[in-house]
Amino acid sequence: MKKFMNGADTFVAESLDGFVRAHDGLVMFGPDRKFIRRTHLKQGKVAVISGGGAGHEPMHVGFVGHGMLDAACTGHVFTSPTPDQVLAAIEACDTGAGTLLVVKNYDGDVMNFEMAAELAQAGGRSVDMVFVNDDVATEAAPRSTGRRGVAGTLVVEKIIGAAAEAGMPLEALKRLGEKTVAATRSKGVAIGGATVPGGARATFALGPDEMEMGVGIHGEPGRARSAFRNAETIAGLLADDVIGDLVAERGRDVLLFVNGFGSTPASELYLMYGALRKRVEASDLVVARSLVGSYVTSLDMAGLSVTLTLLDATGCELWDAPVLTPSLQWGH
């Protein structure tokens, strides 16, 4: 597989180096390049930290900045960061109000972030965690116990990040994070697998008339393979599963987030947004906020996901709050 790289072994490090150089007004490396942090930390604010394997960019490093994350830890491609990376981020970003870790529900992420939290707590720091598990396609999937955390992680990080910026204390932030997770559902579809640097082939192969429903963001195949359909039909399949699992009252406000996996053009994402919005509104939900783009990717996977989050007045206010990160910016 052809990639713009010097070698698979240096791919992640060189990518992160370019990222920090491109956004050096907003972010910087932490000690020993173990993590990427905000250039300017806000004293007395709860630090919000997340992370995961490379290959999902711009998540998580692209969401480091005002109104979102204080730091992000990146592992090898589709591999959790190590506990010492997360511990180093906690120690560097804790300005006195404690730290909240936002963790996608994959076994490796959960284990390593929990270990880092325990080490930090043993050192006298106040640390808590929120686990994101928004993927309706999975109950017991590879790499996770229970549902996976996927594109809904962005929503959780944005809402928690805004509340932390406004001074919300750690215990309340954890409750807010858990409330947001409970109000968020996602599902993905792919028409082509991801190609991992150094790999000889895509993570899974599909025929010209096939699609994969319920894919993960680590190159995992879906829960069902079926004949490829038109956009309206695919939107219906995704929306019905997500809305059905959300069990929302009629008239509720929602955020509709259509996320590309890496190779899907913006024109197709917006086309699918239009089809999905019709399905959502036909279910008597009100699309109060929207986001469309490739924010939680799986390298170059061809596909997309839909995320719905129930929003109350506070949720809308926190979503609208100013954010200034390399990949998400508004209100400034």
Side-chain angles (χ1 to χ4, degrees):
M1 295 292 179
K2 291 183 287 187
K3 295 279 186 185
F4 289 106
M5 65 181 188
N6 297 310
D9 57 336
T10 61
F11 175 80
V12 174
E14 291 177 348
S15 175
L16 291 175
D17 182 69
F19 174 83
V20 170
R21 287 173 177 266
H23 302 289
D24 57 4
L26 296 174
V27 299
M28 59 185 283
F29 279 112
D32 301 321
R33 301 167 67 99
K34 289 182 177 180
F35 59 92
I36 288 173
R37 50 154 280 195
R38 291 167 64 159
T39 303
H40 304 291
L41 296 174
K42 186 174 181 179
Q43 297 300 309
K45 161 194 171 303
V46 174
V48 181
I49 297 173
S50 191
H56 305 307
E57 290 76 16
M59 190 179 77
H60 295 274
V61 291
F63 307 141
V64 174
H66 177 91
M68 236 169 147
L69 299 177
D70 291 276
C73 306
T74 303
H76 295 295
V77 174
F78 296 162
T79 303
S80 173
T82 60
D84 72 296
Q85 287 179 266
V86 181
L87 178 60
I90 294 170
E91 292 174 343
C93 297
D94 183 355
T95 63
T99 301
L100 185 64
L101 305 177
V102 181
V103 185
K104 301 187 303 300
N105 189 38
Y106 292 89
D107 288 347
D109 287 16
V110 171
M111 178 179 67
N112 289 350
F113 275 81
E114 282 184 337
M115 189 178 301
E118 290 169 3
L119 290 169
Q121 290 163 349
R125 297 185 183 275
S126 181
V127 182
D128 219 326
M129 309 176 72
V130 169
F131 299 98
V132 185
N133 57 356
D134 54 309
D135 188 358
V136 303
T138 53
E139 290 294 347
R143 302 172 62 95
S144 66
T145 302
R147 291 185 169 183
R148 301 179 294 212
V150 287
T153 310
L154 177 155
V155 182
V156 176
E157 291 174 352
K158 172 64 181 79
I159 287 177
I160 288 177
E165 204 74 50
M168 183 177 285
L170 179 57
E171 185 177 336
L173 274 180
K174 178 181 172 67
R175 290 196 301 269
L176 174 65
E178 290 174 339
K179 174 185 174 183
T180 307
V181 170
T184 301
R185 301 288 188 279
S186 301
K187 188 172 183 179
V189 60
I191 56 176
T195 50
V196 177
R201 60 184 62 86
T203 50
F204 59 85
L206 291 171
D209 298 318
E210 293 180 320
M211 64 180 182
E212 196 91 11
M213 295 293 292
V215 294
I217 57 171
H218 294 89
E220 307 101 325
R223 312 305 289 174
R225 186 167 296 192
S226 62
F228 181 67
R229 311 293 292 277
N230 65 25
E232 291 282 353
T233 303
I234 295 171
L237 294 170
L238 292 172
D240 290 351
D241 283 352
V242 172
I243 294 168
D245 200 90
L246 199 54
V247 192
E249 304 93 338
R250 290 184 174 186
R252 283 294 303 271
D253 285 351
V254 296
L255 163 70
L256 172 57
F257 171 26
V258 177
N259 171 66
F261 285 148
S263 287
T264 307
S267 55
E268 295 179 32
L269 295 178
Y270 280 110
L271 187 154
M272 285 294 292
Y273 171 85
L276 285 159
R277 179 159 182 163
K278 284 192 290 186
R279 297 295 292 227
V280 171
E281 291 176 339
S283 298
D284 294 319
L285 297 174
V286 178
V287 179
R289 301 292 185 273
S290 303
L291 183 67
V292 180
S294 295
Y295 292 103
V296 182
T297 65
S298 182
L299 290 170
D300 58 351
M301 185 185 287
L304 56 88
S305 63
V306 57
T307 297
L308 285 179
T309 299
L310 297 174
L311 293 175
D312 56 15
T314 299
C316 287
E317 181 181 338
L318 292 171
W319 180 260
D320 292 343
V323 58
L324 182 59
T325 71
S327 300
L328 211 62
Q329 300 182 11
W330 60 68
H332 279 273

